[in-house]
Amino acid sequence: MKTRKIASFNVSAIGLGCMNLSHAYGAPVSAKQGERVLLTALDQGVDFFDTAALYGFGANETLVGQVMKSHRRKFTLASKCGMQGVEQSDGSKVRVIDGRPETLKKTCEDALRRLQTDVIDLYYLHRWDKKVPIEDSVGALSDLVRQGKIQTIGLSEVSAGTLRKAHAVHPIAAVQTEYSLWTRNPEIAVLQACRELGVAFVAFSPVARGFLCGPLDVAGFDAKDIRRSMPRFAPDHYAANLKLLPAYNALAQEVGCSPSQLALAWLLHQGEDIIPIPGTTSVDHLLDDLGAVQVQLDAGLMARLNALINERTVAGDRYNAQANSEVDTETFACL
């Protein structure tokens, strides 16, 4: 497996986003299946694993901790705070964004316990809580660095301006934001800011939430599948987006790779500072994804991909109005 850098860490060029095992795309897989995916990834050379307090309201951190504790020295561990589940009076949990220093420190303590480790290598602010100055939230995370509970600080779904403010308080090791052929928002400003500041860029949903793996049964999505609320998967928009796939699949066939490998290879060719973290519940899909590191794309093929799928050719926004209000990323609509 080829490697890339996040701060002082050398990590596999493709990491594993662990969310799918416990959260967001329907019912969680069994603990046994989650273990198979995690350990297969490790066996195949993946040494960068990404989880969060939010995923399964702690269940994903617990799974990662149980499965990976005996292999802790073999990989770089990333998790996130600032967005988690809060228990209600009826025992249910709701998702809450809370960037107050005391909350972030409490979330870290809980994460360390669930992950069965004494330090988290990369700890992200999952969302900037706009009621709390970014300097205050990052200041709390810098306290955790000084206490030895985390090694480096990351930010998720932030703008270039917010990144610069945060970096002035404490060096930011990585920014994590959705980035793929069909989500180009990072190209507006934050990628350039990352490069100016020496910040790695971690791309989540690199295969466009499954769209670039092939046609999806949108009508058959689980009731708890988060894509049900995403405009790009609404019937009219999805019908328009499906028209992009035949030409895209033809390009994958021309290259001699799978559609998902083509999506990941495109990201890997955007720069050595970009680390995609696809997620999956399937060992077969995992192995397919990892094959992307061997795919070579020439300038002509890259240009054809860029012309085919981009912010002008994709129908629908990536998030609905509520989710858009919670992120801080630049948008093409504002240009």
Side-chain angles (χ1 to χ4, degrees):
M1 174 65 73
K2 299 175 182 178
T3 63
R4 297 189 166 185
K5 288 192 72 68
I6 298 177
S8 63
F9 300 108
N10 287 310
V11 302
S12 50
I14 297 177
L16 181 67
C18 302
M19 179 184 76
N20 304 44
L21 301 173
S22 310
H23 185 83
Y25 294 114
V29 299
S30 67
K32 183 176 180 180
Q33 179 62 15
E35 180 178 15
R36 285 187 66 217
V37 171
L38 291 168
L39 293 182
T40 300
L42 190 66
D43 287 344
Q44 293 296 313
V46 174
D47 60 8
F48 181 45
F49 291 80
D50 180 279
T51 181
L54 176 69
Y55 303 159
F57 297 145
N60 196 247
E61 287 182 328
T62 298
L63 173 67
V64 171
Q66 289 173 344
V67 173
M68 305 295 284
K69 62 182 178 181
S70 62
H71 306 283
R72 183 64 185 87
R73 295 183 180 275
K74 300 178 183 178
F75 67 94
T76 299
L77 174 63
S79 194
K80 308 179 197 72
C81 61
M83 185 161 64
Q84 61 273 328
V86 174
E87 189 166 343
Q88 304 299 289
S89 57
D90 62 359
S92 64
K93 289 186 177 181
V94 296
R95 181 177 64 85
V96 171
I97 295 174
D98 186 347
R100 292 175 296 172
E102 60 272 25
T103 301
L104 303 185
K105 292 177 179 179
K106 172 63 164 58
T107 305
C108 181
E109 295 293 345
D110 293 340
L112 290 169
R113 184 186 69 254
R114 289 190 292 257
L115 290 164
Q116 301 189 46
T117 186
D118 57 358
V119 63
I120 297 169
D121 301 314
L122 172 60
Y123 204 42
Y124 293 96
L125 184 67
H126 204 161
R127 289 291 186 275
W128 171 37
D129 180 350
K130 298 174 185 178
K131 302 183 298 297
V132 179
I134 189 65
E135 294 88 347
D136 291 356
S137 295
V138 173
L141 296 178
S142 70
D143 289 342
L144 294 173
V145 173
R146 285 189 289 272
Q147 294 166 12
K149 295 178 180 179
I150 67 175
Q151 293 206 57
T152 60
I153 297 172
L155 302 174
S156 180
E157 295 276 35
V158 297
S159 65
T162 300
L163 169 60
R164 293 182 192 281
K165 290 178 183 179
H167 195 75
V169 175
H170 189 281
I172 301 301
V175 166
Q176 180 178 144
T177 293
E178 183 176 356
Y179 188 28
S180 68
L181 275 162
W182 86 341
T183 296
R184 303 294 194 90
N185 303 67
E187 296 174 359
I188 299 172
V190 79
L191 265 177
Q192 181 59 37
C194 284
R195 285 165 178 162
E196 291 174 9
L197 298 171
V199 176
F201 188 93
V202 177
F204 76 77
S205 297
V207 294
R209 300 188 183 275
F211 174 74
L212 293 176
C213 299
L216 299 168
D217 179 15
V218 173
F221 281 166
D222 185 271
K224 294 184 178 181
D225 193 310
I226 60 172
R227 292 172 293 185
R228 283 186 171 274
S229 68
M230 293 178 173
R232 290 177 180 176
F233 294 97
D236 290 349
H237 287 151
Y238 190 66
N241 291 329
L242 278 176
K243 296 176 182 177
L244 300 170
L245 284 182
Y248 175 76
N249 290 336
L251 287 176
Q253 187 171 15
E254 180 180 329
V255 173
C257 67
S258 71
S260 60
Q261 288 173 346
L262 183 60
L264 291 164
W266 177 85
L267 269 171
L268 292 170
H269 281 68
Q270 297 305 305
E272 291 290 323
D273 55 341
I274 295 176
I275 301 101
I277 51 166
T280 183
T281 60
S282 162
V283 167
D284 288 343
H285 289 170
L286 169 66
L287 297 175
D288 182 62
D289 287 346
L290 298 182
V293 296
Q294 305 301 329
V295 176
Q296 296 298 313
L297 306 177
D298 61 31
L301 196 287
M302 290 289 288
R304 291 158 68 191
L305 277 171
N306 285 328
L308 177 63
I309 303 178
N310 57 62
E311 70 280 358
R312 296 179 301 278
T313 63
V314 172
D317 203 349
R318 70 185 182 111
Y319 284 144
N320 62 20
Q322 173 62 35
N324 273 328
S325 73
E326 296 174 347
V327 299
D328 177 49
T329 47
E330 293 89 356
T331 65
F332 290 98
C334 297
L335 298 180

